């Protein structure tokens, strides 16, 4: 009866925690490689003692996923989640009002969403399981808050289970000397996967960058078909900014509000109009994006950015909200010059002419744009490869379109000016 719950007997090598002194164990694998089961079993190994009521190594564990629903449905109650992996005499109870698992020996594991990094401010832990880190919408902020909370016990550790993506927080984590990594392709867990699934995905994606990422579990420096690369940004970095001929603040308002709403993309850019139009240079000055703000909150952030940079114009996308967007901005600052724009084509089609400006070396970046650049590297000619909406990229595209393309070179890329 106990044999099915003896994971050390059944586990693949990549699912077993490495020996030695480490702080973060990253399990990078393809889809279906057994990452979730490994994370669940690692949590069990930390909180359980030799007998059901004996204390384990950890007493307070953080369970962090992209959303609270995914923590519950995948990490806790999923087919490979903690509840399914636990034997009857050690099975924890789910206390929904506290978003907490409680084991018979008193150990607890609390659920957190990457949409709300501030919820990790205050609690403290001696262990954590972070699932799909590369998909987290506010990955850097959430990861930082989690690190500050890992302060209990003599040796707090975290297990990270993720399909790799080219995001900065994951790449930085992998470079730390305190991090250990195990990797596995989807086929490593073929005994628990449908043969038809393996045949189909290999036939479709073998040899592609998407296949190497999603099936082989390899971290690629570039997404297949990406419109921007990190090499572009390295070549476009600039320190001291020249005097700008024009400055605009572009805003891509979110459809909703609250902690789970999309970000409100706010990007400030300027242009130096020296020589002929094809010789002009644009400069991305600031990413002032906000998340979770009310309409009044993001409008105040736009007005503050315009005042900070003495902007000539605010360019506002009005697909979401129409005239209400302009009204909200003017309620905050009645004198704010606003140009409304309406997208008539998809995000990738609007972004391609702007990406071409980067290829020509005509756009330069200031400091503090890491989050924007991460999102740009996930925009491809087929769409956005990241989670959520690319609101920072949208705002960038509106800003540079207004400065460098509209009415300058006869190029009007999928935009209708309303006012």
């Amino acid at each position: 009866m106990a044999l099915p719950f003896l994971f050390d007997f059944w586990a693949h090598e990549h699912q077993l925690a490495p020996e030695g002194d480490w702080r973060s164990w990253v399990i990078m694998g393809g889809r279906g490689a057994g990452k979730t089961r490994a994370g669940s079993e690692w949590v069990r190994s930390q909180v359980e003692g030799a007998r059901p009521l004996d204390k384990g190594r950890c007493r307070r564990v953080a369970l962090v996923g992209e959303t609270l629903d995914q923590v519950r449905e995948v990490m806790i109650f999923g087919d490979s989640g903690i509840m399914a992996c636990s034997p009857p005499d050690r099975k924890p109870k789910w206390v929904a009002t506290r978003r907490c698992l409680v084991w018979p020996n008193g150990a607890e594991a609390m659920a957190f969403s990457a949409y709300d990094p501030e919820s990790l401010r205050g609690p403290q832990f001696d262990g954590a399981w972070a699932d799909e880190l590369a998909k987290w919408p506010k990955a850097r902020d959430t990861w930082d808050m989690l690190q500050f909370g890992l302060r209990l016990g003599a040796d707090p550790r975290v297990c990270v289970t993720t399909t790799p993506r080219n995001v900065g927080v994951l790449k930085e984590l992998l470079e730390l000397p305190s991090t250990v990594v195990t990797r596995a392709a989807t086929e490593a867990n073929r005994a628990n996967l449908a043969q038809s699934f393996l045949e189909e995905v290999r036939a479709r994606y073998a040899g592609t960058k998407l296949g190497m990422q999603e099936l082989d579990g390899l971290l690629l420096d570039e997404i297949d078909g990406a419109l921007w690369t990190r090499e572009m940004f390295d070549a476009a970095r600039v320190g001291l900014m020249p005097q700008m001929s024009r400055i605009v603040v572009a805003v891509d308002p979110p459809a909703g509000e609250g902690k789970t709403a999309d970000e409100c993309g706010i990007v400030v850019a300027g242009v130096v109009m020296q020589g002929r139009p094809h010789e002009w240079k644009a400069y991305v000055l600031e990413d002032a994006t906000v998340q979770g703000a009310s309409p009044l909150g993001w409008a105040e952030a736009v007005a503050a950015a315009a005042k900070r940079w003495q902007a000539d114009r605010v360019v506002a996308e009005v697909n979401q909200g129409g005239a209400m967007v302009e009204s909200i901005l003017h309620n905050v600052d009645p004198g704010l010059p606003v140009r409304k724009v309406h997208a008539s084509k998809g995000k990738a089609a609007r972004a391609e002419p702007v990406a071409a400006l980067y290829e020509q070396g005509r756009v330069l970046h200031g400091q503090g744009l890491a989050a924007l650049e991460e999102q740009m590297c996930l925009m491809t000619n087929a769409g956005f490869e990241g989670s959520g909406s690319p609101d920072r990229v949208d705002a960038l595209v509106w800003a540079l379109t207004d400065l460098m393309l509209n009415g300058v070179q006869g190029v009007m890329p999928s935009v209708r000016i309303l006012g």
Side-chain angles (χ1 to χ4, degrees):
M1 186 69 178
L3 188 58
F5 299 102
L6 298 178
F7 188 61
D8 287 357
F9 180 82
W10 297 104
H12 300 294
E13 186 176 353
H14 72 274
Q15 294 176 306
L16 297 175
E19 300 289 338
D21 183 21
W22 50 266
R23 178 168 174 89
S24 301
W25 171 32
V26 180
I27 309 172
M28 286 205 305
R31 301 285 185 92
K35 301 184 297 296
T36 302
R37 178 67 185 270
S40 297
E41 295 287 358
W42 181 80
V43 171
R44 278 192 58 207
S45 73
Q46 300 301 295
V47 301
E48 293 179 6
R51 294 171 298 182
L53 298 182
D54 290 349
K55 292 182 179 180
R57 182 178 177 277
C58 294
R59 300 285 290 170
R60 296 272 295 174
V61 177
L63 305 176
V64 189
E66 181 181 358
T67 66
L68 286 174
D69 283 344
Q70 290 188 342
V71 175
R72 284 194 305 267
E73 301 305 318
V74 177
M75 301 171 72
I76 296 174
F77 291 104
D79 292 340
S80 299
I82 293 170
M83 299 295 276
C85 296
S86 299
D89 61 343
R90 298 163 187 262
K91 192 181 293 290
K93 292 183 179 179
W94 172 244
V95 183
T97 54
R98 296 181 57 209
R99 300 184 312 199
C100 182
L101 281 175
V102 181
W103 274 264
N105 65 2
E108 296 183 347
M110 300 194 68
F112 296 91
S113 164
Y115 274 99
D116 186 16
E118 289 299 307
S119 65
L120 284 159
R121 186 186 294 275
Q124 51 187 353
F125 313 99
D126 47 16
W129 173 20
D131 188 48
E132 293 297 354
L133 170 66
K135 285 182 59 185
W136 287 1
K138 303 191 76 174
R140 192 174 301 278
D141 290 344
T142 305
W143 181 255
D144 288 344
M145 288 298 100
L146 177 60
Q147 299 312 298
F148 287 124
L150 284 169
R151 57 180 184 263
L152 291 181
D155 185 23
R157 294 183 171 189
V158 57
C159 174
V160 178
T161 51
T162 188
T163 302
R165 287 191 177 188
N166 185 24
V167 294
V169 66
L170 177 59
K171 295 175 72 173
E172 292 167 11
L173 174 61
L174 296 176
E175 292 172 358
L176 292 176
S178 59
T179 298
V180 294
V181 183
T182 58
R183 295 179 172 86
T186 298
E187 278 86 349
N189 197 32
R190 64 168 54 249
N192 298 306
L193 301 172
Q195 183 62 30
S196 59
F197 162 77
L198 291 172
E199 293 174 353
E200 179 68 15
V201 294
R202 277 299 173 193
R204 286 192 179 193
Y205 303 111
T208 68
K209 287 188 176 181
L210 183 61
M212 287 186 282
Q213 173 182 284
E214 301 292 328
L215 301 178
D216 297 324
L218 299 177
L219 180 62
L220 306 178
D221 287 336
E222 295 180 17
I223 299 295
D224 197 21
L227 297 179
W228 289 276
T229 66
R230 297 199 174 275
E231 288 74 14
M232 287 184 183
F233 303 138
D234 291 340
R237 204 78 62 196
V238 65
L240 186 65
M241 293 290 182
Q243 182 70 34
M244 301 293 156
S245 304
R246 289 184 64 240
I247 294 177
V248 301
V249 178
V251 55
D252 177 34
E257 59 181 284
K259 293 178 179 178
T260 60
D262 290 334
E263 295 173 323
C264 177
I266 305 171
V267 170
V268 185
V271 62
V272 175
M273 298 176 176
Q274 290 182 350
R276 297 181 179 182
H278 69 271
E279 297 173 317
W280 294 358
K281 296 275 189 180
Y283 296 80
V284 183
L285 305 174
E286 182 185 359
D287 177 8
T289 296
V290 295
Q291 202 277 327
S294 66
L296 178 61
W298 59 253
E300 289 175 341
V302 170
K307 182 177 181 180
R308 189 161 55 246
W309 290 96
Q310 298 182 348
D312 298 279
R313 174 183 294 163
V314 170
V315 180
E317 180 182 319
V318 295
N319 286 50
Q320 304 285 354
M324 184 174 63
V325 172
E326 184 179 24
S327 175
I328 293 170
L329 290 169
H330 282 157
N331 283 341
V332 173
D333 184 350
L336 204 62
V338 178
R339 167 177 281 182
K340 297 178 291 180
V341 290
H342 189 285
S344 58
K345 290 186 178 180
K347 298 176 186 295
R350 298 198 305 272
E352 285 177 351
V354 174
L357 295 174
Y358 281 80
E359 293 177 358
Q360 297 164 5
R362 298 181 59 204
V363 183
L364 301 175
H365 276 204
Q367 303 300 314
L369 302 175
L372 169 63
E373 291 170 357
E374 284 183 15
Q375 201 174 83
M376 292 170 72
C377 287
L378 296 173
M379 177 62 76
T380 76
N381 48 25
F384 185 57
E385 291 292 327
S387 59
S389 177
D391 303 288
R392 297 170 192 262
V393 177
D394 284 346
L396 171 89
V397 167
W398 290 125
L400 295 180
T401 296
D402 187 87
L403 292 171
M404 299 286 282
L405 297 176
N406 280 348
V408 173
Q409 303 175 66
V411 178
M412 299 289 286
S414 59
V415 56
R416 184 156 51 94
I417 298 174
L418 302 179

